[in-house]
Amino acid sequence: MATERSDSTWSARELELARPDASAFRELAAELRSRVDGGVEFDEYARILYATDGSIYRAEPAGVVYPTGVDDVQAAVDVATSHGVPILPRGTGSSLAGQTVGPGCVVLDVSQHMDDILEVRPDDRRARIQPGVVQDDLDDELAAHGLKFAPDPASSNRATVGGGIGNNSTGAHSVRYGITDAYTEAVKAVLSDGSLIHAREVVIDSDEWDDIVAKDDREAEIYRTVRQVVENNTEEIAARYPDLKRRVTGYNLDRVVYENDDGERVLNLAKLFVGAEGTLGVIVEAELSLVTVPEETALALYCFEDLGAAMEAVPVALEYDVSAVELMDDEVFRLAAESDGYSEYVEPIPDGTAAALMLEYDSELHDDFETAIAETNDRFLAAGAAFDVVEAYTDEEQADIWKLRKAAIPLLMSLEGDPKPYPFIEDATVPPSELAEYVQKFEAVLDDHGTSAAYFAHAGSGTLHIRPILNLKDEAGIEAMHSITDDVTDLVLEHHGSFSGEHGDGMARTEFTPKMYGETLWDAFKRVKTAFDPEWWMHPGNVVYREGPDDIGPDTNRGVGADMRENLRYGADYQSLEPQTTLDFDEEGGFSHLVELCNGCGTCRQTSEDVMCPTYRASEEEIQTTRGRANLLRSAISGDLPEDELHSERFQREVLDLCVGCKGCKSDCPTGVDMAKLKAEVKHLHHEKEGVSIRERLFANIDTASRIGSALAPLSNWVTAVPGARTAMQKLFGIAPERELPPFRRETLEDWFEQRGGSSVPRADADHSVLLFPDTYTNYSYPRAGKAAVRSLEAAGVHVDIPGGTVPSGRAAFSSGLLDTARERARANTDTLADRVADGWDIAFVEPSDAVMFQDEYLDLLNGPAVERVANSAYGVMEYLDLHRLDESLPIDDRSLGTAGSLSYHGHCNQKATNKDHHAVGVLRRVGYAVDPLETTCCGMAGSFGYHDEHYDLSQAIGRLLFEEVAASDADGIVAPGGSCRSQLGDRDGVDDIPPHPIEAVSDRL
């Protein structure tokens, strides 16, 4: 909360609004840069990037520091506090209650450098880590030992363990394993005075205890205060803390004193740091206890016609040895079905499912999964409570269901319009036996406020995420949020629950914490906070707040007041510009709505699967995430940035130009923030205002240059080898001299096809007729892939033609934001092909980016039945073979898997984004290849991106991620459908030629 501070010349509000030219601002940043080895960013972009997280809140920090280690953290704390600025530690920033944002704070982003796994001790089942380690990366390291870190939040593929400790995170398996505080054995943390404390088990009244408390320092004061607070409030703690598997409201006074394995009474401050949300200190190291990984698991998804029946089934499910009991409702299923990236995962869910209860069984609890599931089937199905069950025994089947479950939160935020199912009281937790009655009363609260909600999450632990649908751009919606929270917290207390069972206090719930714990424990919390942080420099106003300057704490306004209605990302005053667009944004609800679909969940920061975001994976910089770009775009259209900032050189260069247009976010982002589309539109607006560069025109019209190069080949290929030619291209066009340019072929694909006399299969004898689109790269530089496509299609009995009168697809122009040119080409191709499509022809493409251009972007550029017919008749050549099972009729003697050898397969990012990437793998396997589909992002070339001089290093950095996957594969060779991808793979050291297109591998089997 932004309030005036009596001990500083800066108020939090002044800090929040400060600009880099403020003298005090410059002095703070300058001193940090002189004292800290890591990066220091205090400019406007950095403050916008770190003003939001995965919550409904927005608060600009003073600036951001990227510490490299303990010394940096200590220096940053010392400098910031000496300048009167609070400290806020942050990991990935996926928090849902506003824990990782704070007005006027110096943010310490530990995710960039402090991400080492320091030690793994398998025999002790312990690990030591730095706070920036991503949980999935930790678990991958532990997997070799058959171990894992038990808490498993849905965001584990990008969330840091340090953030999980700060938040006391947990996940679906809390039914069996509990939450983070049970597995955090010790931490090292920097306190607000810069001292380093090692929090671990200390036996009370032992020699070690006496040595600690005898000192006259901060550590001694902390130990004395915490012991006194706990011992003086034993009865109140027992009465006020609910008996739940999940309780992450307030400080862990109930868990800091306990008996160890030797029966000794110990005080472990590490348990207090867990869930403290950075308000007690900055964790710089943690020692974790680990659990064994079950060798196998199975899932049973019980389908109910009524949400209430599913709730009543939860206590019954807990009678069995299950490791997870999760719930999803029909709203989650509906949104998943409408999402490009998640529609396939919802297909097994039976029609009429109002709610589904998912039970997991693991091999440490069960010897026979089918018998175990049969028992629960008898209980649920035979009794008629559930009407169907989906059983999943294979890893792939289970992964699909879990992916659907973990996407529930961001999927719900993709609802059209301003009303959204917002998180503010959604993780309240009650005993599972009271869940059904609690939900019924919660629905009555919603009825009273004229709204509804979506339901999902960890029903087995009594944590059911109920997200009321409200419009927080409206004053009435904001007040309804506050009123609903007040009513629901009353309801939670009535049912012996906790206001938060997973997502913490933060800005959303700190206001209501006194209601849960009462005045006595509320004062105890403030005494604990003050012992650790006497001046309240560490993330003030979260977990605890002060009711006035005379309250417990420093004699300032720091940390005074807490109101969940403050610092909203969208408030009643929020306004955004809706520009006149060239592309059609109706399906997304408009340009600004597509930008605002980013809810900050941070999925774009995960690096272990999917495509997005390739530039972030190479740079690990927040500005290169889809979230970062969306935040800056939103700031530009809502007035947080100057009106003309969209057209500034920096915005164009750092925000837009480094988006490679892979389209991965269209499918991988659960809310579908299509940054490639947004980029194209903004680049178009920029070109209208500032003009188009020579290089952009060159690449947008590369077909013309290629046609000339082909006509002059081989002379045109020799030109680039002339001394000084590459330097000239660098100076004239900004083309990286290190890049090998695609060679031109004198005989084009069109020439070859014409000279052979057209198709060898008469149309009258064919079941399918295909127009093979002559894309620029295939036609002029790599016709052998086109020839392989013709031969393979004809071998399957397809009549093939290469249509005359087509122009380039417009992909290159679209990617550069030359939308008028792209539209002209889309219209020309539609006019040329629409009648032939109406006559029964399909259109096949060798180049995936051109196929997706027809399938997707043409519908954004043009309207009407003609373009819809053309788009619906467009296929990648491997997609076409697979959908019609044409490969099954190819003349191949032996189709046994592996007969033809083994191939690793790098799919094209545009096809992955439109869920069309899997077709090639199926075809290749059916014609006899053993195929290893690589988990890869964009290759880094991305059309013309990799040829740009200023992008060469980043392109190579992205490419190395692909090269590592190729090197790790045991396959004999590699195939890739994208021309850019094959060029990048051909540029690897020690590689003499580019790898083939998958259709060439098919042709080789004929």
Side-chain angles (χ1 to χ4, degrees):
M1 184 173 178
T3 52
E4 193 70 29
R5 295 206 305 268
S6 63
D7 67 333
S8 172
T9 57
W10 285 359
S11 70
R13 184 61 179 163
E14 285 169 338
L15 275 169
E16 186 179 355
L17 298 177
R19 292 293 180 258
D21 58 353
S23 60
F25 213 71
R26 288 201 308 270
E27 290 169 8
L28 171 60
E31 188 173 350
L32 282 167
R33 291 189 181 100
S34 71
R35 296 274 305 276
V36 172
D37 291 334
V40 176
E41 295 181 352
F42 269 57
D43 62 274
E44 200 164 28
Y45 281 20
R47 300 205 327 273
I48 287 170
L49 290 170
Y50 286 83
T52 55
D53 53 10
S55 72
I56 61 177
Y57 294 100
R58 181 185 187 279
E60 284 195 12
V64 186
V65 175
Y66 305 91
T68 60
V70 177
D71 290 346
D72 272 1
V73 172
Q74 290 177 305
V77 169
D78 180 52
V79 172
T81 55
S82 70
H83 280 261
V85 183
I87 294 292
L88 170 58
R90 172 169 164 143
T92 297
S94 57
S95 299
L96 290 170
Q99 302 97 309
T100 56
V101 295
C105 292
V106 169
V107 172
L108 303 184
D109 182 351
V110 299
S111 70
Q112 193 168 94
H113 302 300
M114 297 180 68
D115 59 352
D116 288 339
I117 299 170
L118 302 172
E119 180 185 26
V120 175
R121 305 198 306 272
D123 292 342
D124 296 336
R125 294 186 184 176
R126 292 290 179 99
R128 281 193 309 114
I129 56 100
Q130 290 184 309
V133 174
V134 171
Q135 174 147 350
D136 277 6
D137 293 343
L138 173 61
D139 284 340
D140 288 345
E141 179 84 7
L142 297 174
H145 308 290
L147 300 171
K148 67 177 180 178
F149 184 51
D152 59 340
S155 56
S156 62
N157 62 1
R158 70 266 190 198
T160 62
V161 178
I165 292 172
N167 198 55
N168 204 358
S169 294
T170 183
H173 293 88
S174 60
V175 166
R176 181 172 179 198
Y177 297 113
I179 61 179
T180 297
D181 57 47
Y183 301 92
T184 304
E185 306 301 338
V187 302
K188 291 180 180 178
V190 174
L191 302 177
S192 61
D193 63 353
S195 62
L196 183 68
I197 189 171
H198 182 196
R200 74 280 187 197
E201 285 189 356
V202 177
V203 177
I204 294 175
D205 293 331
S206 64
D207 291 343
E208 182 182 22
W209 174 273
D210 291 341
D211 287 343
I212 292 173
V213 299
K215 297 175 183 176
D216 184 20
D217 61 9
R218 178 72 57 81
E219 183 179 27
E221 176 63 20
I222 291 170
Y223 274 93
R224 288 192 295 263
T225 300
V226 172
R227 178 181 182 177
Q228 183 183 57
V229 162
V230 172
E231 291 180 345
N232 289 352
N233 292 282
T234 302
E235 293 182 2
E236 192 73 1
I237 289 171
R240 288 285 187 171
Y241 279 80
D243 183 16
L244 298 166
K245 286 184 177 291
R246 295 162 165 260
R247 192 274 310 148
V248 295
T249 303
Y251 290 132
N252 289 337
L253 296 183
D254 61 329
R255 296 166 193 176
V256 69
V257 176
Y258 56 91
E259 281 192 4
N260 64 13
D261 293 339
D262 296 324
E264 299 167 312
R265 189 162 173 260
V266 299
L267 188 151
N268 189 345
L269 293 177
K271 306 298 182 180
L272 209 51
F273 276 101
V274 180
E277 300 179 6
T279 62
L280 302 181
V282 182
I283 293 172
V284 293
E285 184 182 310
E287 181 168 338
L288 312 171
S289 55
L290 311 171
V291 298
T292 54
V293 179
E295 292 184 4
E296 293 180 293
T297 57
L299 291 177
L301 193 74
Y302 292 99
C303 305
F304 296 83
E305 295 176 342
D306 175 72
L307 177 65
M311 293 294 95
E312 291 172 359
V314 172
V316 178
L318 294 174
E319 295 176 15
Y320 298 87
D321 287 328
V322 290
S323 50
V325 180
E326 297 287 293
L327 179 132
M328 293 177 279
D329 76 350
D330 53 358
E331 188 67 6
V332 174
F333 300 145
R334 181 185 70 81
L335 292 169
E338 296 173 357
S339 166
D340 288 336
Y342 294 89
S343 57
E344 63 181 296
Y345 305 121
V346 81
E347 289 175 3
I349 309 300
D351 291 340
T353 302
L357 208 58
M358 181 173 76
L359 277 58
E360 184 188 77
Y361 312 75
D362 72 53
S363 56
E364 293 185 348
L365 299 176
H366 296 278
D367 296 327
D368 184 344
F369 290 143
E370 292 187 359
T371 298
I373 290 176
E375 290 180 11
T376 48
N377 284 349
D378 288 343
R379 188 72 177 270
F380 291 130
L381 296 178
F387 71 89
D388 204 349
V389 61
V390 177
E391 299 178 9
Y393 296 97
T394 69
D395 291 343
E396 184 177 4
E397 291 170 336
Q398 293 177 69
D400 287 352
I401 295 175
W402 276 117
K403 189 160 188 177
L404 178 64
R405 162 61 195 89
K406 289 187 175 186
I409 290 176
L411 274 172
L412 288 166
M413 294 305 292
S414 68
L415 277 177
E416 294 182 5
D418 288 333
K420 304 282 187 190
Y422 283 115
F424 53 91
I425 192 60
E426 94 292 0
D427 64 323
T429 300
V430 300
S433 60
E434 302 185 40
L435 194 57
E437 182 182 353
Y438 166 74
V439 169
Q440 187 178 19
K441 292 179 180 178
F442 199 124
E443 288 189 322
V445 171
L446 297 177
D447 288 342
D448 290 343
H449 289 85
T451 189
S452 59
Y455 300 80
F456 64 99
H458 318 295
S461 298
T463 304
L464 188 63
H465 293 326
I466 307 176
R467 293 192 163 206
I469 298 173
L470 297 170
N471 180 5
L472 296 187
K473 295 180 181 178
D474 178 79
E475 191 66 41
I478 295 170
E479 291 305 315
M481 174 183 70
H482 190 265
S483 180
I484 289 171
T485 306
D486 202 15
D487 290 346
V488 170
T489 49
D490 287 343
L491 182 61
V492 171
L493 290 181
E494 178 187 333
H495 285 276
H496 316 98
S498 171
F499 297 169
S500 175
E502 182 172 12
H503 296 152
D505 296 323
M507 292 183 170
R509 282 179 286 274
T510 295
E511 173 187 355
F512 296 92
T513 304
K515 180 193 290 190
M516 177 170 166
Y517 288 106
E519 183 177 344
T520 300
L521 289 184
W522 182 241
D523 284 345
F525 285 173
K526 285 182 282 189
R527 283 198 292 273
V528 168
K529 163 70 173 173
T530 303
F532 278 86
D533 179 21
E535 296 299 319
W536 284 45
W537 290 121
M538 311 305 294
H539 203 190
N542 288 265
V543 184
V544 291
Y545 64 89
R546 301 169 63 246
E547 296 170 44
D550 297 329
D551 198 0
I552 296 171
D555 185 20
T556 72
N557 282 351
R558 193 160 37 253
V560 173
D563 188 331
M564 70 178 302
R565 294 164 291 191
E566 297 291 328
N567 297 305
L568 292 174
R569 186 187 307 190
Y570 304 110
D573 296 331
Y574 177 85
Q575 292 182 332
S576 63
L577 171 71
E578 183 62 41
Q580 186 70 37
T581 61
T582 298
L583 297 174
D584 184 352
F585 286 89
D586 287 348
E587 187 174 331
E588 295 89 353
F591 178 92
S592 62
H593 186 261
L594 180 55
V595 174
E596 292 167 7
L597 276 179
C598 175
N599 59 30
C601 67
T603 307
C604 43
R605 287 178 61 111
Q606 66 87 18
T607 60
S608 59
E609 56 187 347
D610 298 328
V611 175
M612 73 168 184
C613 186
T615 47
Y616 170 75
R617 295 187 187 199
S619 69
E620 295 187 348
E621 295 177 354
E622 176 70 18
I623 195 172
Q624 299 309 328
T625 63
T626 303
R627 176 174 74 179
R629 294 186 176 103
N631 275 331
L632 287 163
L633 265 177
R634 187 181 62 252
S635 296
I637 65 175
S638 65
D640 288 322
L641 284 171
E643 183 178 351
D644 237 18
E645 187 65 22
L646 277 178
H647 303 291
S648 71
E649 180 183 353
R650 184 182 182 191
F651 196 96
Q652 293 291 316
R653 184 182 70 250
E654 295 185 20
V655 181
L656 296 183
D657 289 351
L658 294 184
C659 168
V660 298
C662 67
K663 293 173 67 73
C665 47
K666 180 180 173 69
S667 60
D668 298 346
C669 171
T671 57
V673 179
D674 189 346
M675 188 54 62
K677 183 175 181 178
L678 291 167
K679 171 193 172 179
E681 185 65 53
V682 177
K683 292 294 288 185
H684 174 75
L685 294 171
H686 180 67
H687 292 324
E688 287 188 326
K689 186 177 187 296
E690 303 292 340
V692 183
S693 71
I694 295 174
R695 185 176 68 187
E696 286 171 318
R697 290 195 185 279
L698 172 66
F699 281 112
N701 294 286
I702 196 67
D703 192 81
T704 301
S706 297
R707 185 169 64 250
I708 297 170
S710 176
L712 297 176
L715 177 62
S716 53
N717 296 323
W718 298 338
V719 169
T720 59
V722 173
R726 301 248 175 144
T727 301
M729 287 190 295
Q730 181 184 25
K731 290 181 177 179
L732 289 172
F733 305 115
I735 295 175
E738 300 90 343
R739 280 292 179 199
E740 290 290 336
L741 300 179
F744 299 113
R745 308 298 178 189
R746 187 61 176 262
E747 183 186 60
T748 67
L749 176 64
E750 291 175 305
D751 293 339
W752 170 83
F753 190 76
E754 182 179 356
Q755 290 167 10
R756 80 194 287 266
S759 183
S760 65
V761 177
R763 190 177 186 196
D765 298 337
D767 293 328
H768 301 276
S769 299
V770 167
L771 302 170
L772 187 66
F773 186 83
D775 69 86
T776 299
Y777 182 71
T778 304
N779 195 32
Y780 297 113
S781 294
Y782 200 83
R784 72 188 192 197
K787 296 174 185 178
V790 171
R791 292 178 182 133
S792 299
L793 289 167
E794 288 182 343
V798 177
H799 176 68
V800 181
D801 190 18
I802 295 182
T806 60
V807 298
S809 71
R811 166 61 68 195
F814 185 94
S815 297
S816 297
L818 300 176
L819 298 185
D820 291 336
T821 301
R823 175 175 283 167
E824 289 171 7
R825 291 173 181 173
R827 184 175 289 112
N829 284 328
T830 298
D831 291 345
T832 298
L833 300 173
D835 288 343
R836 298 193 71 174
V837 167
D839 189 36
W841 291 81
D842 295 314
I843 313 166
F845 297 80
V846 172
E847 179 57 44
S849 61
D850 289 299
V852 174
M853 183 73 188
F854 269 65
Q855 295 165 334
D856 190 18
E857 280 86 357
Y858 273 22
L859 298 174
D860 292 326
L861 290 162
L862 302 173
N863 293 308
V867 71
E868 290 176 5
R869 284 199 304 272
V870 168
N872 292 333
S873 299
Y875 306 88
V877 65
M878 301 301 289
E879 175 190 5
Y880 193 74
L881 289 173
D882 187 39
L883 287 175
H884 296 290
R885 283 298 195 269
L886 296 174
D887 57 282
E888 294 177 355
S889 61
L890 293 174
I892 297 173
D893 293 333
D894 187 352
R895 293 173 174 269
S896 302
L897 193 65
T899 301
S902 60
L903 295 170
S904 55
Y905 170 73
H906 167 65
H908 194 277
C909 48
N910 286 178
Q911 286 188 320
K912 290 180 181 178
T914 50
N915 199 27
K916 299 178 185 298
D917 174 57
H918 60 282
H919 297 291
V921 175
V923 171
L924 290 170
R925 285 173 174 165
R926 289 197 298 273
V927 300
Y929 292 99
V931 183
D932 176 17
L934 302 177
E935 278 286 354
T936 49
T937 181
C938 175
C939 69
M941 279 297 286
S944 65
F945 179 86
Y947 290 102
H948 298 169
D949 187 34
E950 71 274 22
H951 298 153
Y952 176 77
D953 290 339
L954 181 57
S955 170
Q956 286 293 93
I958 299 171
R960 281 191 287 273
L961 302 176
L962 167 59
F963 304 159
E964 290 169 4
E965 291 293 323
V966 174
S969 176
D970 294 329
D972 301 329
I974 182 171
V975 291
S980 293
C981 309
R982 302 201 304 278
S983 295
Q984 180 82 306
L985 287 163
D987 271 356
R988 287 175 294 160
D989 292 338
V991 176
D992 296 327
D993 196 10
I994 68 172
H997 190 290
I999 195 64
E1000 295 178 76
V1002 173
S1003 179
D1004 289 344
R1005 294 290 287 146
L1006 301 179

